[in-house]
Amino acid sequence: MTEASLIGKSMVRSDTVAKAAGQALYTADLKLPRMLVGKVLRSPHPHARILNIDTSRAERLRGVKAVITGRDGHGVKWGVFPYTQDHDMVPTDKVRYIGEEVAAVAAVDEETALEALSLIDVEYEPLPAVFTIEEALKEGAPLVHDQYKNNINVHVHIEVGDTQKAFKEADIVLEDTFEAAGEMYGMLEPYAVVAHYTPDGYLDIWMPNAGPHVRAKALSNLLKMPLNKIRVHHINSGGAFGGRSEISPGDFVTSLLAIKSGRPVKLVYTREETSIATRQVHDIVARIKTGARKDGTIIAKEFKVYYNGGAYSSTGPIATSIPFYVYEETYRLPNLVYDGYRILTNRPIRGMYRCHGRAFLAGNAMHMDKIAEELGMDPMDIRLKNGIRAGETTATGSKIISCGLQDAIKAAARKSGWKKKRGKLPPYRGIGMGCLAIMCGFPMGFRSGSSAYIRVNEDGDATIVSGVVDNGQGNESMMVQIAAHILGIPMDSVNLVCSDTEVTTHDPGAYSQAAAFVTGNAVRLAAEDARDKILTAAAQYMKVDKTRLALKDKMVYLKDDPEKAIKLTRAVRYAMSKGQHIQGYGTYIPKISFDREWVKNPYGQMAGTFSYGTSIAELEVDPETGIVRLLRMVVAHDCGNPINPMAVEGQLEGSVAMGGTATILEEHVWDGGLQLNSDFLEYKMPLSVDMPDIDTILVRSMDPEGPFGAKEGGLTISMSAYKAIANAFYDATGVWLKEFPYTPDRVLKALQAKEKGRR
Amino acid sequence: MNRIPITLLVNGEPYSLAVPPNKTLLEVLRDDLELMGTREGCGVGACGACTVLIDGVPARSCLTLAVDVQGLSITTIEGLAEGDELHPVQEAFVERHAIQCGYCSSGMILTAKALLDKKKRPTKDEIKRAISGNICRCTGYAKIEDAIATAAKKLATPSK
Amino acid sequence: MKLPEFEYFNPRDVPSTLELLALHGEQAVLLGGGTDLLVRMKQGLLKPGVVISLRGVEDLRGIRKQKDGTLMIGALTRITDLLESSVIRRKYPGLAQAAGAVSAPPLQNMGTVGGNLTQETRCLYYNQSAMWRRSKPTCFKAGGATCNAVKGGSHCFATYQGDLAPMLIALSARVVLSKKGGSRAIPLEDLYTGKGKIPVRKDPDELLEGIILPPPDKNTVCRYEKLRLRQALDYPLVGVAVCLTLSEDKTRCVSGRLVLTAVGSGPVLVDDDGLMQDAEVSDDWIQSLAEAAYKAAKPVPNVLTPPAYRKRMARVLTRRALNRALKD
Ligand SMILES: Cc1cc2nc3c(=O)[nH]c(=O)nc-3n(C[C@H](O)[C@H](O)[C@H](O)COP(=O)(O)OP(=O)(O)OC[C@H]3O[C@@H](n4cnc5c(N)ncnc54)[C@H](O)[C@@H]3O)c2cc1C
Ligand code: FES
Ligand code: FES
């Protein structure tokens, strides 16, 4: 008998049978006795002072059980950081975007709730508004918040080496501006919240979220309630993609309605509300200057990057930094100056996104290719040359402990026929490459760690208690697989109780690529602890040395004499009879710098480890219509060691849609502060028929810290697919197209400009 | 408002209800019959999350009046499995990792079933076309297409 | 999003439908597949007092060859039925192309020919929720006095984006309109006003019963070209339908029609200035027709993609449609 391995096998996910059967519950499916319907009154103005709100007519309407305004709150403003607390989740002074919460009602049915909204009278004094980065930065522009001068919400300044000197020494210097419109997260599930408050002061709440513990903490601040009286429950989530990490105004509103009415309240957003009143993606303008030596070494970088942050801070300091970090984690950058500015405007709230930073990241990728071209280098070789390696330290001081970048580049190149194709395809067909790294976990101070608990029952089955969150990625199943593997029992013998703040253990949540590396490690340690306890008991029972024992197929057996074995249940019961219940505990916190801070001290170890990836895109441009057709994407991702390979492939394929096909389709379009395409018809999420053929490659760098060598499962492709497409577009057309997305009108304009230039 | 007495035939079972004419089939399935597997993604026909089969044909339940489909046979996701036994299409979706967040899955699975009822061995292009009106934000569709092809094979070989 | 309240009727045959229409006239709407109507009702763009569902009117369904060689397509025939009909596929392949380009298969299963032809004009500033529209002045189409899409516009510019009408007009189809006491058949192009606000010219108590297609001609070639951002679901940014009747040796165009969609408030039958009457087929000829289409296309900024681009695409797509039609 050898040890059975579940790791590295494509296992059926523990959560998908219920989903396939239509039996998995999402927030909008919940029904509680006497539950009310919540509805929100939203601002029609992008910027206006609230002079008066009269809710008396609405309150008198039959069937209305509660009406709330900002006055029902405690005047506490939300912010992820002490210095960004500026979001009054139902404002009382002024509204700052179209769609902002002004009041809300809970009523016995939807019709009554909607009628009640129409009976609330709000008097506004409209104020001048700013919508674009340019408008907001203009001298004398109206201020979105008085405390942010020139509407500059966050300024991240990072400086390494001597950049001015390096530019002087550079043989090639490039400078360009790149622009990208913000995208829609487009979770298929509209946002929804159910809240229930009991008179003894307990709040039960359900909503799709990527981090229940941070939600509970935020609610505890805003509602001035103790943390242990707020219970964020587990519920399936219809996608998150970097969103759904922070508290949403809807959580606050529903809680207030439940508290005021004393009855359970369900608030389900319309699709339009989901896209205008939950956080969406920043528009970005990135000015990039690059200096390189004749041999292709990048020696200097200067960045000025502007993010349209909408009306409030949200994760501002993080959003303003991440594109830079994922870049510095990919390449050796000895000299650089990064200035990131998050600008406030009268647009809806903005947050972090799985593909965040396309103007900046694709811009850098285009510079890399431009340099390669000027030097007559293969774009692959310039990446191999500048790519960071294990053992090195990034510009801001993160040590790289494992790195599959070189392997990812080479594997993707081989699979895609790179050498045969690059620069050699027929006119209007092209191939391009992009690479990226990603941190496995953001530094979140004392919140950066995870712990887990495992109990093995007398029937040999186990229950894990973990804070792990699953928004569809397969995180829950991964924890089950890790524990099953270590305990030598099948996956369906493991139950997982998770993401329920009053029951489960602390966890950083599933929005910073921490699930496999951090949560996975905690579950691994807990399972190992439980295994140790089982083996200790079995050793006593079998009167052998513990080190000779192992677990498999619900048996404890002697490694050197597998015929000698006892049932796992025997060992567990024996332990229990001695008062030694089989309970394992594990806790893991990544080795990061705790004195690092996004704005004040952006230096030090960012995360425990980093994963790496390479995308190669092949595409075709119709020179008459400007339509870009993606033909094939080859993507290679170093996830350390895939715990469930098919699940990782699924992440990569999803990334090709969201970070790749989106490059030619996706953007929010505006008329000032009004979103013109908040729906699924005019906002263009890729369909099956828009997708290229996809080849996925899993690279194994066996991370020394990760559970079974595992790191993160796919984000490098979400953030490198557009890089590959930008470079493939150049290969196809000879045009550097610096404005995203590559819609046919933009493409045609760029092709024409090139024609003109030639004549 | 006035209610109209109707009988809906859902997953082979007749349900007698009185519904206001402005109620969509989606609302009746979820609110009255508590069949929550039919999901709302957009409410206006643009995503396919609410897909049900009406006389075996995929349709948007968010754009169908409940009073308009009385007497017709309606299949929702809950109607596919037989007891604990998943339908081969559901099985293939599970095995081939075609489900991530699961929000599109009911609609996708029903659309796939309708395709395979009509066509035993669809080509890759036919599969792509058949699901081209259903949005999945998670998977990039590759594993869904693979699952449908796998289901076709399962259905072709008589079960164990 | 909830549908507004209404009274519901589900007649079983054409005469009782006409009776209901006569009774309720102005305040009644007909419900086909509902894929256009119910979306607008959910957005609060329309609150009819009465909805007459056609779903049970079996005599409106189906594709029938008539004694005179023409083909009658009932208004309740679904887009999918067109695609599955062997007569359409063999004898009117251009129509099959246009049908295949409508939205995506699940919506083709629901959408009817009658609904497709009489669908409303669309505008990015109009087809929005009631909540959205509060942030803008009421536009012409919603009963107000401004156009939110075209600055200073003196009337409604909403865009007609149907895919079937251009091809059916190119095929010289006639449409049968019936009301209590009588029926009329008019050329399909006459159904359209070309006006954004009220795009369809029909009495409130009239039912679109069906479409009559002239007998197929073996020398007629047709083609539909549609430009959209995604390869399914999306309405056309520009659509071009051509039908050409060629001489036996295919060197001359005896007669023909070129019709555009999504570049005006109705389908645009391009005035070809006699170009398609007994003309020699040549590259120059194709180019002149493409120019005529360019001139006839009058897109405005009420669809996501900029109008200047869409106008140019009318030219490109016309060239493609002609070349491909001639190659088939
Ligand atoms: C996501 C989405 C994408 C779409 N994409 C396209 C597209 O690409 N191309 C396209 O052409 N359309 C598209 N549509 C619109 C629509 O689906 C089709 O036009 C469809 O054919 C309309 O038919 P219906 O039967 O559903 O119409 P309905 O909604 O039932 O009716 C539409 C209008 O016609 C009237 N009407 C219906 N039948 C009759 C009749 N017999 N006599 C008189 N009046 C009648 C109705 O009162 C109503 O005003 C799309 C719709 C959606 C939701
Ligand atoms: S909810 Fe019906 S199509 Fe989106
Ligand atoms: S699995 Fe999430 S939308 Fe398809």
Side-chain angles (χ1 to χ4, degrees):
Chain A
M1 245 196 287
T2 53
E3 233 173 307
S5 180
L6 293 179
I7 302 299
K9 283 214 183 104
S10 286
M11 303 300 292
V12 161
R13 277 172 50 170
S14 58
D15 58 324
T16 51
V17 168
K19 287 173 176 174
Q23 303 286 358
L25 292 180
Y26 299 80
T27 306
D29 303 337
L30 298 178
K31 281 188 177 176
L32 296 173
R34 299 170 71 234
M35 188 158 78
L36 301 172
V37 175
K39 285 278 165 198
V40 178
L41 183 70
R42 301 185 176 281
S43 165
H45 299 288
H47 199 189
R49 206 173 305 288
I50 301 172
L51 300 179
N52 188 38
I53 307 179
D54 181 356
T55 57
S56 56
R57 288 198 301 149
E59 278 157 26
R60 283 198 300 271
L61 184 70
R62 208 169 140 164
V64 171
K65 301 297 171 189
V67 182
I68 63 105
T69 67
R71 291 190 298 262
D72 292 280
H74 300 274
V76 183
K77 292 182 178 172
W78 164 246
V80 177
F81 303 90
Y83 55 94
T84 61
Q85 284 168 359
D86 53 28
H87 193 174
D88 199 348
M89 293 220 149
V90 185
T92 45
D93 57 342
K94 60 176 188 173
V95 288
R96 294 178 172 85
Y97 66 91
I98 293 177
E100 181 156 22
E101 293 71 15
V102 176
V105 302
V108 291
D109 56 28
E110 191 177 344
E111 288 85 349
T112 311
L114 288 171
E115 194 187 340
L117 289 189
S118 71
L119 296 176
I120 298 176
D121 300 305
V122 188
E123 242 180 282
Y124 295 101
E125 175 196 334
L127 300 169
V130 289
F131 304 114
T132 62
I133 293 165
E134 215 182 348
E135 285 167 17
L137 285 176
K138 237 186 229 139
E139 203 44 53
L143 292 183
V144 181
H145 291 264
D146 293 341
Q147 70 265 41
Y148 299 117
K149 265 206 211 127
N150 300 322
N151 291 313
I152 299 174
N153 166 223
V154 175
H155 175 198
V156 173
H157 177 77
I158 298 168
E159 218 176 310
V160 176
D162 186 341
T163 308
Q164 290 321 312
K165 186 163 151 255
F167 273 119
K168 278 195 206 113
E169 289 166 7
D171 300 306
I172 300 174
V173 174
L174 303 173
E175 195 168 352
D176 288 285
T177 301
F178 304 88
E179 282 183 52
E183 302 103 306
M184 177 200 261
Y185 289 94
M187 308 90 171
L188 210 58
E189 176 199 19
Y191 196 66
V193 191
V194 169
H196 180 36
Y197 182 79
T198 47
D200 48 356
Y202 286 89
L203 179 73
D204 286 279
I205 188 163
W206 294 256
M207 83 291 271
N209 72 80
H213 290 281
V214 291
R215 287 279 167 131
K217 185 62 178 70
L219 280 168
S220 130
N221 290 3
L222 297 186
L223 297 169
K224 294 211 164 160
M225 282 173 63
L227 195 49
N228 69 358
K229 290 201 164 175
I230 294 175
R231 180 168 175 189
V232 178
H233 286 258
H234 175 266
I235 188 83
N236 286 296
S237 157
F241 317 117
R244 298 185 167 173
S245 58
E246 287 172 75
I247 182 171
S248 153
D251 309 349
F252 180 59
V253 163
T254 315
S255 301
L256 288 183
L257 287 172
I259 292 170
K260 198 161 183 180
S261 67
R263 287 170 65 165
V265 177
K266 174 155 80 179
L267 172 65
V268 180
Y269 281 32
T270 61
R271 175 51 52 191
E272 180 189 17
E273 287 181 296
T274 302
S275 84
I276 62 165
T278 67
R279 295 183 186 83
Q280 302 293 328
V281 183
H282 299 72
D283 290 354
I284 298 177
V285 178
R287 199 162 174 71
I288 301 174
K289 189 171 163 188
T290 307
R293 274 210 217 96
K294 266 207 285 286
D295 65 353
T297 313
I298 309 282
I299 55 168
K301 280 274 184 186
E302 195 177 278
F303 308 108
K304 266 203 169 34
V305 189
Y306 298 87
Y307 303 81
N308 187 335
Y312 295 99
S313 279
S314 176
T315 46
I318 310 179
T320 314
S321 308
I322 292 298
F324 164 76
Y325 284 112
V326 298
Y327 189 64
E328 71 131 26
E329 291 155 9
T330 319
Y331 297 111
R332 217 169 286 119
L333 302 172
N335 305 289
L336 66 89
V337 183
Y338 175 81
D339 281 294
Y341 301 91
R342 190 168 186 274
I343 309 302
L344 293 181
T345 62
N346 294 110
R347 288 255 180 97
I349 47 181
R350 313 278 94 181
M352 288 289 298
Y353 183 48
R354 184 198 204 182
C355 312
H356 183 53
R358 62 180 171 174
F360 174 83
L361 292 169
N364 279 302
M366 287 191 248
H367 269 189
M368 190 79 93
D369 270 35
K370 241 177 169 174
I371 291 165
E373 183 174 51
E374 287 197 23
L375 297 172
M377 274 177 94
D378 183 325
M380 170 167 104
D381 295 333
I382 196 169
R383 286 178 171 77
L384 289 171
K385 185 179 183 80
N386 287 283
I388 215 158
R389 290 168 186 258
E392 289 187 58
T393 300
T394 70
T396 66
S398 285
K399 178 107 192 256
I400 306 298
I401 60 169
S402 73
C403 176
L405 179 59
Q406 307 276 325
D407 290 345
I409 294 175
K410 287 176 196 157
R414 214 174 305 122
K415 184 93 188 176
S416 65
W418 177 263
K419 287 275 176 199
K420 281 196 307 261
K421 288 180 174 170
R422 173 69 191 194
K424 297 171 192 135
L425 290 170
Y428 298 107
R429 247 178 109 145
I431 188 168
M433 178 184 284
C435 302
L436 198 93
I438 190 93
M439 56 289 260
C440 301
F442 294 157
M444 287 191 246
F446 67 87
R447 283 181 211 288
S448 309
S450 178
S451 56
Y453 159 88
I454 292 182
R455 186 183 76 219
V456 182
N457 293 328
E458 57 269 38
D459 61 0
D461 288 354
T463 298
I464 315 173
V465 176
S466 158
V468 68
V469 188
D470 199 324
N471 296 290
Q473 312 95 320
N475 291 341
E476 290 184 7
S477 180
M478 176 164 54
M479 300 312 144
V480 170
Q481 194 173 349
I482 289 174
H485 169 79
I486 293 170
L487 295 174
I489 59 181
M491 279 177 71
D492 58 14
S493 283
V494 179
N495 181 32
L496 173 71
V497 174
C498 66
S499 42
D500 178 328
T501 56
E502 270 311 279
V503 176
T504 61
T505 44
H506 284 287
D507 186 76
Y511 52 91
S512 68
Q513 309 75 244
F517 186 72
V518 179
T519 316
N521 256 329
V523 169
R524 173 183 63 89
L525 291 164
E528 285 172 358
D529 188 24
R531 179 178 63 189
D532 188 65
K533 288 178 172 150
I534 295 167
L535 297 184
T536 303
Q540 278 175 24
Y541 181 85
M542 296 168 82
K543 305 201 170 52
V544 296
D545 191 67
K546 188 168 89 176
T547 53
R548 291 175 63 198
L549 292 174
L551 295 173
K552 190 189 166 184
D553 298 339
K554 288 198 161 181
M555 302 290 284
V556 188
Y557 66 97
L558 281 174
K559 282 187 274 192
D560 46 28
D561 186 5
E563 292 303 301
K564 279 221 178 93
I566 59 167
K567 284 187 175 158
L568 173 60
T569 49
R570 166 71 47 225
V572 173
R573 289 167 190 207
Y574 178 76
M576 290 171 80
S577 69
K578 302 269 167 202
Q580 295 156 357
H581 294 230
I582 305 295
Q583 292 171 351
Y585 178 71
T587 184
Y588 182 81
I589 187 149
K591 298 176 182 120
I592 53 170
S593 323
F594 279 91
D595 50 2
R596 177 178 194 116
E597 206 286 329
W598 297 95
V599 177
K600 285 176 219 107
N601 182 31
Y603 307 95
Q605 189 73 30
M606 158 71 63
T609 193
F610 303 86
S611 61
Y612 288 84
T614 296
S615 297
I616 293 182
E618 197 176 333
L619 54 75
E620 190 172 56
V621 181
D622 181 333
E624 283 191 316
T625 60
I627 298 262
V628 179
R629 210 158 63 85
L630 270 182
L631 303 172
R632 185 181 179 205
M633 291 224 38
V634 178
V635 295
H637 174 72
D638 159 29
C639 56
N641 183 27
I643 290 178
N644 191 343
M646 239 159 122
V648 181
E649 283 167 24
Q651 289 303 302
L652 303 185
E653 289 157 358
S655 294
V656 167
M658 201 175 247
T661 317
T663 315
I664 56 182
L665 290 173
E666 291 189 34
E667 64 179 320
H668 266 312
V669 182
W670 300 88
D671 174 15
L674 252 187
Q675 203 175 83
L676 288 172
N677 56 349
S678 63
D679 60 332
F680 282 169
L681 181 60
E682 295 302 344
Y683 185 87
K684 308 295 181 188
M685 295 205 281
L687 305 171
S688 58
V689 283
D690 301 310
M691 291 298 294
D693 291 334
I694 306 172
D695 287 291
T696 55
I697 302 167
L698 305 183
V699 173
R700 289 171 172 78
S701 63
M702 296 307 292
D703 190 81
E705 272 283 311
F708 307 100
K711 303 196 272 191
E712 169 278 341
L715 215 78
T716 67
I717 304 308
S718 320
M719 296 171 96
S720 66
Y722 42 73
K723 294 174 150 207
I725 288 169
N727 285 332
F729 184 85
Y730 177 78
D731 191 43
T733 62
V735 175
W736 299 110
L737 184 44
K738 296 181 237 172
E739 199 185 319
F740 295 85
Y742 287 4
T743 50
D745 50 309
R746 289 191 179 95
V747 167
L748 218 53
K749 211 152 101 194
L751 294 183
Q752 263 180 324
K754 182 189 164 207
E755 276 302 307
K756 262 199 204 121
R758 194 175 282 162
R759 262 186 255 127
Chain B
M1 195 180 17
N2 62 324
R3 287 171 176 266
I4 299 180
I6 57 166
T7 300
L8 284 184
L9 194 62
V10 183
N11 302 328
E13 257 183 77
Y15 294 87
S16 294
L17 318 145
V19 297
N22 67 340
K23 234 177 164 178
T24 61
L25 178 58
L26 175 64
E27 288 168 322
V28 169
L29 289 172
R30 290 180 58 86
D31 300 349
D32 299 311
L33 307 189
E34 300 196 341
L35 292 168
M36 297 306 198
T38 310
R39 323 235 172 248
E40 173 162 331
C42 69
V44 290
C47 76
C50 66
T51 302
V52 297
L53 304 184
I54 300 180
D55 281 346
V57 177
R60 308 293 215 222
S61 65
C62 70
L63 294 184
T64 302
L65 298 183
V67 290
D68 242 8
V69 290
Q70 57 169 320
L72 306 183
S73 155
I74 292 151
T75 309
T76 71
I77 190 70
E78 290 89 348
L80 288 196
E82 298 202 10
D84 277 352
E85 188 101 354
L86 293 183
H87 184 277
V89 177
Q90 291 170 307
E91 234 172 54
F93 268 64
V94 169
E95 285 164 12
R96 305 309 300 163
H97 279 238
I99 300 174
Q100 289 188 23
C101 81
Y103 207 79
C104 70
S105 306
S106 304
M108 284 287 185
I109 289 169
L110 288 166
T111 306
K113 177 189 184 282
L115 169 72
L116 297 177
D117 284 345
K118 231 162 84 176
K119 224 169 182 129
K120 296 261 164 300
R121 279 296 168 115
T123 62
K124 191 172 167 196
D125 273 350
E126 286 166 339
I127 293 173
K128 272 182 181 284
R129 279 247 36 97
I131 59 166
S132 65
N134 292 56
I135 294 177
C136 174
R137 190 55 161 167
C138 298
T139 63
Y141 305 98
K143 299 240 179 296
I144 293 178
E145 290 158 19
D146 179 25
I148 298 174
T150 304
K153 280 189 213 128
K154 275 179 188 272
L155 288 162
T157 44
S159 63
K160 349 112 216 176
Chain C
M1 263 183 287
K2 289 223 68 102
L3 284 166
E5 295 182 7
F6 51 79
E7 202 179 340
Y8 169 84
F9 294 97
N10 55 345
R12 298 283 136 186
D13 52 28
V14 171
S16 47
T17 308
L18 300 181
E19 198 68 52
L20 283 164
L21 277 171
L23 197 65
H24 297 285
E26 297 274 354
Q27 57 151 336
V29 292
L30 293 167
L31 173 68
T35 58
D36 169 56
L37 181 71
L38 296 185
V39 177
R40 286 185 284 120
M41 283 173 60
K42 281 190 169 190
Q43 291 176 323
L45 294 169
L46 169 88
K47 294 189 178 93
V50 172
V51 170
I52 304 170
S53 170
L54 298 175
R55 198 183 266 267
V57 187
E58 284 304 321
D59 20 338
L60 285 176
R61 236 181 259 278
I63 301 166
R64 281 178 293 271
K65 232 199 227 133
Q66 314 207 93
K67 277 193 216 90
D68 59 357
T70 60
L71 194 73
M72 172 81 180
I73 303 174
L76 210 58
T77 306
R78 300 170 312 151
I79 310 294
T80 300
D81 301 328
L82 294 180
L83 287 166
E84 288 177 352
S85 149
S86 62
V87 184
I88 303 279
R89 280 210 312 264
R90 275 183 298 117
K91 304 288 182 185
Y92 303 92
L95 181 56
Q97 270 172 18
V102 174
S103 190
L107 285 152
Q108 293 166 357
N109 293 336
M110 301 177 73
T112 64
V113 170
N116 192 288
L117 294 176
T118 47
Q119 67 179 279
E120 263 295 344
T121 48
R122 301 172 53 78
C123 171
L124 264 184
Y125 296 80
Y126 172 74
N127 297 90
Q128 299 280 2
S129 72
M131 173 171 91
W132 192 98
R133 282 177 284 119
R134 283 182 319 166
S135 296
K136 282 272 173 192
T138 311
C139 72
F140 287 115
K141 197 162 172 71
T146 31
C147 174
N148 289 321
V150 178
K151 278 208 183 70
S154 61
H155 58 276
C156 174
F157 288 90
T159 301
Y160 182 83
Q161 285 181 293
D163 277 311
L164 292 186
M167 180 48 80
L168 286 169
I169 293 173
L171 283 164
S172 302
R174 294 167 75 78
V175 54
V176 182
L177 299 168
S178 309
K179 62 160 91 177
K180 193 180 167 189
S183 266
R184 59 186 178 126
I186 57 169
L188 180 58
E189 56 270 30
D190 293 346
L191 182 67
Y192 299 101
T193 62
K195 300 224 161 67
K197 190 169 160 147
I198 300 172
V200 171
R201 186 183 285 125
K202 134 185 138 42
D203 294 337
D205 57 347
E206 262 180 330
L207 166 77
L208 194 161
E209 262 203 76
I211 284 287
I212 301 172
L213 282 176
D217 179 324
K218 71 174 178 20
N219 290 323
T220 299
V221 291
C222 296
R223 181 83 194 185
Y224 185 64
E225 290 289 327
K226 170 173 178 171
L227 192 75
R228 51 179 160 182
L229 293 181
R230 297 183 294 187
Q231 293 320 298
L233 268 184
D234 291 353
Y235 284 91
L237 298 170
V238 184
V240 176
V242 289
C243 283
L244 307 172
T245 304
L246 301 173
S247 59
E248 282 295 336
D249 64 356
K250 304 205 188 286
T251 58
R252 300 189 74 77
C253 171
V254 181
S255 67
R257 278 182 156 198
L258 169 59
V259 190
L260 315 178
T261 191
V263 287
S265 290
V268 179
L269 176 54
V270 175
D271 176 7
D272 61 7
D273 216 8
L275 271 173
M276 293 171 116
Q277 293 305 313
D278 197 25
E280 192 186 329
V281 170
S282 69
D283 286 346
D284 282 349
W285 174 75
I286 289 173
Q287 196 50 39
S288 325
L289 282 168
E291 284 314 316
Y294 178 80
K295 264 195 221 120
K298 300 208 166 66
V300 299
N302 60 3
V303 169
L304 272 186
T305 312
Y309 169 80
R310 286 164 50 229
K311 189 166 166 72
R312 283 184 55 190
M313 289 308 108
R315 183 198 279 140
V316 171
L317 261 59
T318 300
R319 215 184 303 128
R320 281 192 182 172
L322 287 165
N323 278 321
R324 287 175 181 165
L326 289 165
K327 246 204 341 242
D328 283 347

